[in-house]
């Protein structure tokens, strides 16, 4: 019943774009399927060259590939989470209307007057090098660089082993002019007025 | 033996068979049963409009009254299928109009429907009764005006969640004054205001109206006007559920609801103002279906309202319900069959609500009839999944979306293989599964081993190697639809299981590692499959054969390759190399 697929193709050493994060050594085809599951196959399946994936040693490489699939502007993966356009529109509409007020109301210690002040919330996007999904953070919750950095590293700690002291990481921000600057150089208030987005880089990169 | 029964006796017997499966089985018994059956089949369901051509259908079934067609792959709902891909219904309508003048019902899902198609429908079928357009697009309210004006015996007009170009609400006024046949009207997807007077008069003159789903533009203050004229309603979708807090609005509403003794289903609730929820308390105990998934109400008003509905069977709600609300639900709604919890803030990785795996565990443990779940959350554990699986071996549909791709068990940081493994092992009747979180090849081994009744599987950001895909394709005997995105599955498993694909409706793979070479091979070797490569960045042969394709859609067909493909879709068949070079000859739309 099975088709005879005689394939003499072997993958070249240059492996195709790989999006795996957890990369294992690829096995020879015989070993991979060698438990009798495949019967009567007159197939010479694609033979892996047996060479380790070039990107195996470079985790960041595969994750940068992930980033290609992410809309640079939005830090959103296309079609994820899987909700349809009607629902997305509805939620967008809702968040636009209740954006500032609701957000503040959920944090302990802030009273609702903050929402009534009608100020634009200081939600900025933060990307961490090597992590596919960005974060948003409300800078009004902080009053110092130290608190901010500490919280940021805590937020991203589940992805990479992070030294909580944060000594291995550099926090950058993009100002109104589009320039990328080191966070901490200017007074906090000045920073708050000009920050547009942020990025965390590993010091060994 | 078959000849001893007169044809009309057999035909009468067959008339009791409503399921396609039964009718298909009957046609395989012998030639004369095939003949008798095909002459008396009145309803046809075509799960993939490209699997067969209108001509083939008409040739086999000469006297059809109801047609159901589906077009785009499911992942089109999440913008993974590019604009212009296909699924055009017009050629079908042209053929159906010629062949079936007595056609009564057309149901379409994920198809492109033009105003031209709607006009043709409205003028071709004298006894047309039912038009259902779910997640369709391509038409405007002008097309709806044709339907309203020309379909004298229209019973059902359901626009589902279609994208309609809303030119004006005036179309509703095209229903003639002598139209009294409406049983079901769903216009909830429309943006602009319909003429309320026309709506009111329409509702008043249709005594059999059972389902009325309004759009957001219908104000809350006017809802009582409609309810009073249609106290026989069984399903109601409100318009916007917000108004200034005024006692007369409230009392009018409450009184109107009091008169609706048949009401079983509620939906709508845009911009809900919680103070108005109690106006519905008189109907709550009869409600079996509640869709609050557009209602941005929060606890305690939300859970208080839901808990009133002790006979609830189906609940769709936003995650504002939180774990606490789900625990209350588990305690008060013992008849619950289906639960869907949608995310209120899906693009923020940080939780804005206190909804975790605990809520789902509580409902699974507390509601013995729970069989269908769609749940968005931000954390999950193997322990929770195992608990759910053990509590609910009767689960039929289980769709879990952990918002963060590849999120591990938050307690142990391990993959969620064990948890999903428990689901497929315990829930032996499972027909549909969507997975998320950190998953290795092992979960696919469990699925291939245990999920023997599984018909539809959705996979994203999962697996380690082709072995994963191989387990699924070789083990899942009942598999009909497989959709995969962003998984490291490549050529080997696909080619090794090529014949399996002929037993399925379709396979979708996007952002995986399937090479162009493998697609070509598959297309060339399997003539009864359409192997379509979707590459928006350029022709697949512009790089080496080992280059992965962006998206792949494979489906079985007896109609041959499509002729309506846009420029970014290539079909892999025997002529694949020459067809690629003849790009300019491609017929597009």
């Amino acid at each position: 019943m099975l088709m005879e697929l005689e394939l003499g193709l072997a993958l070249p050493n240059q492996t195709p774009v790989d999006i795996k994060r957890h990369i294992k050594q690829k096995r020879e085809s015989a070993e991979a399927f060698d438990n009798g599951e495949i019967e009567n196959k007159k197939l010479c399946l694609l033979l892996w060259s047996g060479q380790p994936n070039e990107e195996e040693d470079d985790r960041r490489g595969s994750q940068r590939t992930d980033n290609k699939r992410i809309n640079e502007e939005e830090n959103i993966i296309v079609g994820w989470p899987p909700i349809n356009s009607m629902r997305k529109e509805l939620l967008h509409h809702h968040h636009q209307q209740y954006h500032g007020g609701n957000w503040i109301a959920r944090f302990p210690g802030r009273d609702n007057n903050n929402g009534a002040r009608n100020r634009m919330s200081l939600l900025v996007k933060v990307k961490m090098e090597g992590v596919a999904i960005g974060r948003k953070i409300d800078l009004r919750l902080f009053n110092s660089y130290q608190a901010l950095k500490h919280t940021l590293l805590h937020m991203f700690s589940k992805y990479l082993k992070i030294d909580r002291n944060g000594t291995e990481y550099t926090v950058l921000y993009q100002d109104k002019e589009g320039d990328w600057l080191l966070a901490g150089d200017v007074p906090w208030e000045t920073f708050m007025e000009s920050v547009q987005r942020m990025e965390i880089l590993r010091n060994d990169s | 033996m078959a000849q001893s029964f007169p044809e009309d006796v057999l035909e009468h017997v067959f008339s009791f068979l409503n399921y396609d499966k039964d009718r298909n089985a009957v046609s395989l018994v012998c030639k004369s049963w095939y003949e008798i059956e095909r002459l008396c089949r009145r309803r046809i369901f075509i799960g993939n409009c490209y699997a067969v051509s209108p001509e083939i259908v008409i040739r086999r079934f000469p006297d059809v009254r109801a047609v159901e067609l589906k077009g785009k792959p499911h992942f089109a709902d999440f913008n993974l299928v590019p604009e212009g891909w296909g699924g055009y219904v017009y050629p079908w309508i042209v053929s159906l109009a010629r062949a079936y003048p007595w056609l009564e019902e057309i149901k379409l899902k994920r198809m492109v429907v033009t105003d031209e198609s709607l006009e043709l429908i409205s003028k071709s079928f004298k006894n047309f009764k039912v038009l259902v357009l779910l997640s369709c697009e391509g038409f405007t309210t002008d097309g709806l005006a044709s339907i309203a004006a020309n379909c004298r015996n229209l019973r059902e007009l359901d626009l589902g969640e279609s994208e309609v170009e809303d030119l004006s609400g005036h179309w509703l006024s095209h229903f003639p004054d002598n139209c009294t046949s409406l049983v079901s009207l769903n216009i909830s997807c429309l943006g602009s205001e319909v003429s309320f007077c026309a709506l009111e008069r329409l509702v008043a003159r249709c005594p059999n109206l059972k389902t009325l789903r309004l759009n957001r533009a219908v104000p809350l203050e006017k809802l009582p006007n409609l309810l009073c004229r249609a106290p026989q309603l069984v399903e109601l979708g409100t318009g916007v559920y917000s108004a200034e807090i005024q006692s007369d609005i409230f009392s009018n509403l409450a009184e109107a609801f009091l008169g609706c003794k048949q009401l079983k289903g509620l939906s709508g609730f845009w911009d809900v103002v919680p103070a108005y929820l109690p106006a519905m308390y008189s109907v709550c105990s009869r409600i079996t279906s509640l869709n609050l998934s557009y209602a941005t109400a929060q606890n305690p008003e939300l859970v208080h309202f839901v808990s009133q509905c002790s006979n609830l069977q189906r609940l769709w709600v936003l995650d504002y319900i939180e774990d606490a609300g789900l625990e209350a639900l588990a305690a008060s709604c013992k008849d619950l069959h289906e639960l869907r919890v949608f995310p209120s803030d899906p693009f923020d990785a940080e939780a804005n609500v206190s909804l975790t795996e605990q809520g789902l565990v509580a409902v699974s443990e507390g509601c013995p009839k729970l069989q269908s779940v769609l749940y968005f959350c931000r954390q999950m554990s193997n322990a929770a999944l195992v608990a759910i699986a053990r509590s609910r071996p009767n689960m039929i549909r289980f769709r879990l979306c952990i918002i963060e791709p590849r999120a591990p068990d938050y307690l142990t940081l391990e993959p969620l293989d064990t948890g999903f493994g428990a689901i497929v092992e315990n829930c032996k009747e499972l027909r549909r599964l969507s997975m998320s979180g950190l998953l290795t090849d092992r979960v696919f081994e469990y699925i291939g081993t245990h999920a023997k009744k599984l018909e539809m599987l959705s996979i994203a950001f999962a697996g380690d190697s082709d072995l994963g895909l191989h387990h699924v394709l070789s083990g899942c005997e009942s598999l009909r639809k497989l959709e995969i995105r962003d998984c490291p599955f490549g050529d080997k498993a696909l080619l090794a299981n090529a014949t399996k694909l002929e037993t399925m409706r379709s396979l979708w793979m996007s952002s995986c590692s399937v090479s162009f070479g493998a697609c070509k091979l598959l297309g060339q070797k399997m003539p009864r499959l359409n192997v379509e490569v979707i590459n928006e960045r350029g022709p697949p042969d512009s790089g080496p054969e080992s280059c992965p394709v962006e998206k792949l859609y494979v489906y079985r067909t007896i109609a041959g390759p499509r002729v309506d493909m846009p420029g970014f879709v290539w079909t892999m068949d025997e002529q694949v190399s020459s067809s690629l070079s003849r790009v300019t000859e491609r017929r597009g739309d």
Side-chain angles (χ1 to χ4, degrees), chain B residues 387-402:
Chain B
I388 293 165
R390 296 221 173 112
S391 314
R392 295 275 63 80
N394 51 328
M395 191 73 71
I396 290 179
R397 277 171 232 104
F398 190 75
R399 296 154 73 184
L400 179 69
C401 179
I402 306 163

Side-chain angles (χ1 to χ4, degrees), chain B residues 2-233:
Chain B
Q3 284 92 358
S4 61
F5 278 110
E7 270 186 31
D8 37 354
V9 172
L10 275 175
E11 200 178 303
H12 180 70
V13 172
F14 293 169
S15 69
F16 292 99
L17 299 175
N18 294 318
Y19 294 115
D20 271 6
K21 258 175 126 174
D22 296 335
R23 282 194 162 258
N24 291 344
V26 143
S27 354
L28 292 175
V29 166
C30 64
K31 281 208 174 113
S32 60
W33 280 37
Y34 176 91
E35 279 303 309
I36 297 166
E37 193 283 317
R38 79 178 186 89
L39 295 174
C40 70
R41 190 180 302 211
R42 300 280 173 260
R43 316 187 70 86
I44 44 178
F45 167 79
I46 296 161
N48 174 5
C49 64
Y50 290 118
V52 70
S53 72
E55 289 71 38
I56 295 173
V57 173
I58 292 164
R59 198 164 53 227
R60 179 171 173 189
F61 302 111
D63 192 5
V64 165
R65 303 291 160 90
V67 172
E68 189 175 338
L69 280 169
K70 294 189 181 180
K72 299 185 212 172
H74 173 237
F75 273 178
D77 286 357
F78 317 128
N79 294 341
L80 287 177
V81 177
E83 196 73 32
W85 174 86
Y88 306 105
V89 82
Y90 188 73
W92 280 90
I93 305 298
V94 169
S95 301
L96 295 176
R98 250 199 315 262
Y100 305 134
W102 297 108
L103 192 69
E104 295 175 3
E105 295 184 20
I106 294 177
K107 294 187 183 172
L108 306 174
K109 189 166 185 180
R110 288 192 204 98
M111 294 201 76
V112 177
V113 182
T114 55
D115 285 348
E116 231 185 338
S117 307
L118 293 177
E119 198 177 332
L120 190 55
I121 290 173
S122 75
K123 299 206 165 128
S124 310
F125 308 112
K126 299 299 167 206
N127 203 23
F128 196 69
K129 293 192 173 131
V130 172
L131 183 62
V132 176
L133 303 173
L134 303 178
S135 303
C136 294
E137 52 158 348
F139 59 103
T140 78
T141 41
D142 285 353
L144 297 179
S146 313
I147 297 288
N150 301 318
C151 301
R152 298 285 142 135
N153 294 315
L154 195 68
R155 279 213 308 242
E156 197 173 324
L157 178 60
D158 182 347
L159 302 179
E161 290 186 326
S162 296
E163 269 183 47
V164 186
E165 196 182 327
D166 214 325
L167 301 174
S168 92
H170 191 60
W171 68 273
L172 196 87
S173 315
H174 286 253
F175 277 108
D177 289 336
N178 59 7
C179 170
T180 57
S181 49
L182 270 185
V183 173
S184 172
L185 180 64
N186 176 5
I187 56 169
S188 54
C189 64
L190 295 181
S192 66
E193 212 175 311
V194 295
S195 149
F196 190 79
C197 285
L199 179 60
E200 206 173 0
R201 284 198 314 266
L202 181 64
V203 167
R205 66 177 183 271
C206 294
N208 297 319
L209 192 68
K210 296 280 189 303
T211 298
L212 178 64
R213 296 200 210 275
L214 304 167
N215 62 339
R216 191 184 202 146
V218 177
L220 187 59
E221 306 88 83
K222 299 228 177 116
L223 186 57
N225 300 34
L226 296 172
L227 292 180
C228 293
R229 284 167 175 74
Q232 75 283 1
L233 277 180

Side-chain angles (χ1 to χ4, degrees), chain A residues 90, chain B residues 268-272 291-298 302 318 320:
Chain A
L90 176 98
Chain B
F269 302 110
W270 286 279
D271 303 321
V272 68
N291 182 353
L292 289 165
S293 64
Y294 298 144
T296 46
Q298 298 179 30
L302 178 59
L318 285 171
Y320 289 129

